[in-house]
Amino acid sequence: MSSWAIIQQSLPLFQKGFFITLKLAALGILGAIVVGSICSLIQYFKLPLLNPLVTIYTEIARNTPLLIQLFFLYYAFPQLGLRLTASQCGIVGLIFLGGSYMAAGFTGGFEGISSSQLEAGQAIGLSRWQLARYVVLPQGLALSVPALAANIIFLIKETSIFTVIAIPELTNTALDLIGMYYHTNEYLVVLVVAYAIILIPLSLILTYLERRVRYGTFGN
Amino acid sequence: MAHSGIDVLTAGSNFSRLLGGLWVTIKIALIAIIIGLIIGVLLGILRTLPNRPLRFILRLYLEFFRIVPTVVLLFLFYYILPKEFNVNLPADAVATLVFALWVAAEMTDIVRGALESVPQHQKEAGQAIGLTYWQLQRYVLIPQAWPLCLPATVNLMTRVVKTTSLLMLISVMDVINIGQQIIEANNKTAPNGVFWIYGIIFIFYFMINYPLSRWAKHLNKRRLEANH
């Protein structure tokens, strides 16, 4: 059988894996953005009680590998009576890891706002929440866009680790096929191409955004 | 009888086996970082040359290692080296190679960015007093670019340490693989041993990465303060 025929035969399976990767990544990234924005607002306003909790969470999530986080969710949590399906573990794991990265991304954006902006806001008598709503958020979000885009690419790549808890995403599909039919080269080529299809457009958008945001800041 | 899983950690040689696995993990990360740094710095300097084809090739190298997930890179090298090139390396050597090439790729971009942000007049002043290309790099550009790349480099190290968790996928006897063996061996007698074993591995990783990421943060702060 020619390589091309092998590749063609495997495409329906890869297509399934492709959409599972996309779906889990999308849900995980959305969740991570929500968690990350809440965490960074808590850190920005230094809310008592919550602020140290957020610091502990982000340090733990950022300094441990996703693989161990997934093993914990998938193998250890059922011992405590919390049983999740593999896909749920994947999404929760991605949100746990990604939330901390997104928080850092937002925080970096907020810190990039020049202090003259904040002082000007205070001078015209804005309250803390008005300052957040009209000064910090609009500028901070624009500044954090490149970091968020980089995080999105990172998190999509991290979904390849889902293979260890047997979620049939792209990498798992390829490894399964290799295990069954040994057409290693063909399947690995399809796998690399599949990731390239997702990630190359994203990385081009990232480059574009980085250029845009430089013009988006005030006073330049 | 209800068995507290924590005994699994201390039973027999379990704990020293875990530490042995951790050493394998650290060794691979260290060697890969050292090799990757050397190659990455050299290639990073080459990326600032005005040679277009060379810059294009190095850019391709970087983008390939950036776009393909590390899991896939590991399998690519693990399967294809012996099959197509008849190179039969043990799994830990394959892992070291992949990590070194990945670190080198990321390093080229860190080094290039730092070198390009050294002010132009520094370079021109160096040229004006008649420094050769390598003298310029050695005495003017690298000393000034070094503090700029340090925080990103330390961050890259924490990423390498975290990524070593993937070693078990190509059956390297790393800390996670040994942890799984211990869990399986004790599954009948102490089913919640799984909690303690993964817990201790979790803590191991945190203990290595937390100081590193604090250091990166500290370096970054110092760099920003120096700029003001």
Side-chain angles (χ1 to χ4, degrees):
Chain A
M1 197 159 53
S2 76
S3 291
W4 185 238
I6 294 165
I7 289 179
Q8 271 186 325
Q9 272 189 353
S10 71
L11 284 184
L13 279 171
F14 272 108
Q15 196 188 19
K16 249 188 215 158
F18 186 83
F19 286 115
I20 291 176
T21 291
L22 279 187
K23 193 182 93 185
L24 297 181
L27 290 171
I29 288 165
L30 275 180
I33 289 177
V34 172
V35 171
S37 52
I38 293 172
C39 287
S40 73
L41 282 176
I42 289 172
Q43 284 182 318
Y44 188 80
F45 288 108
K46 301 208 166 51
L47 296 185
L49 239 75
L50 289 174
N51 192 22
L53 283 180
V54 167
T55 307
I56 293 171
Y57 154 64
T58 51
E59 291 296 347
I60 290 178
R62 282 181 70 94
N63 288 314
T64 52
L66 177 64
L67 186 128
I68 290 290
Q69 295 167 4
L70 290 177
F71 276 173
F72 239 98
L73 284 169
Y74 194 62
Y75 294 113
F77 272 31
Q79 297 292 333
L80 299 178
L82 184 70
R83 205 170 290 275
L84 298 172
T85 67
S87 302
Q88 286 167 339
C89 284
I91 295 171
V92 172
L94 207 60
I95 294 177
F96 181 77
L97 176 80
S100 66
Y101 276 86
M102 292 295 181
F106 284 121
T107 303
F110 293 156
E111 282 172 355
I113 301 168
S114 71
S115 51
S116 60
Q117 289 284 316
L118 298 175
E119 285 155 12
Q122 281 164 341
I124 59 168
L126 296 183
S127 72
R128 229 157 65 130
W129 285 108
Q130 282 174 323
L131 207 61
R133 165 74 185 79
Y134 297 105
V135 181
V136 175
L137 278 181
Q139 294 185 55
L141 286 182
L143 287 175
S144 47
V145 164
L148 300 191
N151 285 344
I152 287 173
I153 293 176
F154 163 72
L155 290 175
I156 292 174
K157 284 168 65 183
E158 289 287 282
T159 60
S160 57
I161 297 173
F162 290 175
T163 183
V164 296
I165 52 171
I167 297 175
E169 43 72 68
L170 278 172
T171 304
N172 193 265
T173 307
L175 295 181
D176 257 9
L177 284 169
I178 291 171
M180 280 189 286
Y181 304 113
Y182 298 103
H183 298 304
T184 319
N185 299 359
E186 288 84 352
Y187 298 141
L188 285 175
V189 166
V190 180
L191 181 62
V192 171
V193 170
Y195 278 114
I197 291 174
I198 305 177
L199 293 167
I200 287 178
L202 275 174
S203 107
L204 291 177
I205 294 174
L206 172 65
T207 318
Y208 168 77
L209 283 176
E210 273 174 350
R211 229 171 272 153
R212 269 296 294 268
V213 164
R214 254 178 249 159
Y215 300 114
T217 48
F218 178 81
N220 293 318
Chain B
M1 128 191 175
H3 208 292
S4 157
I6 196 165
D7 296 341
V8 175
L9 275 184
T10 47
S13 60
N14 283 355
F15 197 74
S16 61
R17 282 186 65 207
L18 279 173
L19 285 180
L22 188 65
W23 174 236
V24 172
T25 303
I26 293 173
K27 209 169 57 185
I28 291 177
L30 260 182
I31 298 174
I33 288 171
I34 292 169
I35 299 175
L37 281 180
I38 296 171
I39 302 176
V41 169
L42 290 176
L43 295 182
I45 295 173
L46 291 182
R47 280 189 65 192
T48 59
L49 289 179
N51 184 336
R52 277 187 149 245
L54 182 68
R55 271 188 5 210
F56 179 73
I57 292 169
L58 289 175
R59 182 74 203 263
L60 267 187
Y61 165 55
L62 169 70
E63 293 299 333
F64 179 76
F65 275 82
R66 270 217 179 134
I67 281 174
V68 182
T70 320
V71 184
V72 180
L73 286 175
L74 280 172
F75 282 113
L76 271 177
F77 282 76
Y78 187 63
Y79 283 126
I80 290 185
L81 277 184
K83 211 173 155 211
E84 298 299 317
F85 299 94
N86 252 325
V87 181
N88 284 299
L89 294 173
D92 50 353
V94 173
T96 314
L97 177 68
V98 171
F99 284 153
L101 288 175
W102 170 55
V103 172
E106 294 281 359
M107 252 341 261
T108 62
D109 214 38
I110 295 173
V111 170
R112 180 197 56 85
L115 284 175
E116 283 175 357
S117 56
V118 174
Q120 188 68 20
H121 64 251
Q122 291 284 330
K123 202 174 158 186
E124 285 160 5
Q127 284 166 335
I129 58 168
L131 296 183
T132 65
Y133 178 76
W134 286 109
Q135 282 175 328
L136 196 67
Q137 296 287 346
R138 164 77 185 75
Y139 297 107
V140 180
L141 296 176
I142 294 175
Q144 292 187 65
W146 174 243
L148 297 176
C149 28
L150 209 51
T153 309
V154 178
N155 263 330
L156 181 62
M157 286 182 199
T158 69
R159 277 170 64 201
V160 174
V161 173
K162 277 187 279 184
T163 314
T164 55
S165 61
L166 308 177
L167 291 173
M168 59 154 290
L169 286 172
I170 57 169
S171 50
V172 175
M173 274 301 152
D174 75 327
V175 64
I176 299 176
N177 220 333
I178 285 176
Q180 283 189 325
Q181 287 182 348
I182 296 173
I183 289 167
E184 273 158 34
N186 295 284
N187 211 3
K188 287 260 158 54
T189 50
N192 50 12
V194 60
F195 204 84
W196 296 100
I197 296 286
Y198 285 143
I200 197 81
I201 296 175
F202 199 86
I203 292 170
F204 281 158
Y205 270 104
F206 186 79
M207 281 183 352
I208 300 174
N209 269 327
Y210 183 66
L212 278 177
S213 65
R214 284 303 290 258
W215 187 32
K217 225 178 241 173
H218 169 76
L219 288 170
N220 208 11
K221 218 181 195 172
R222 224 175 46 184
R223 184 179 65 88
L224 289 176
E225 278 162 7
N227 278 352
H228 286 308

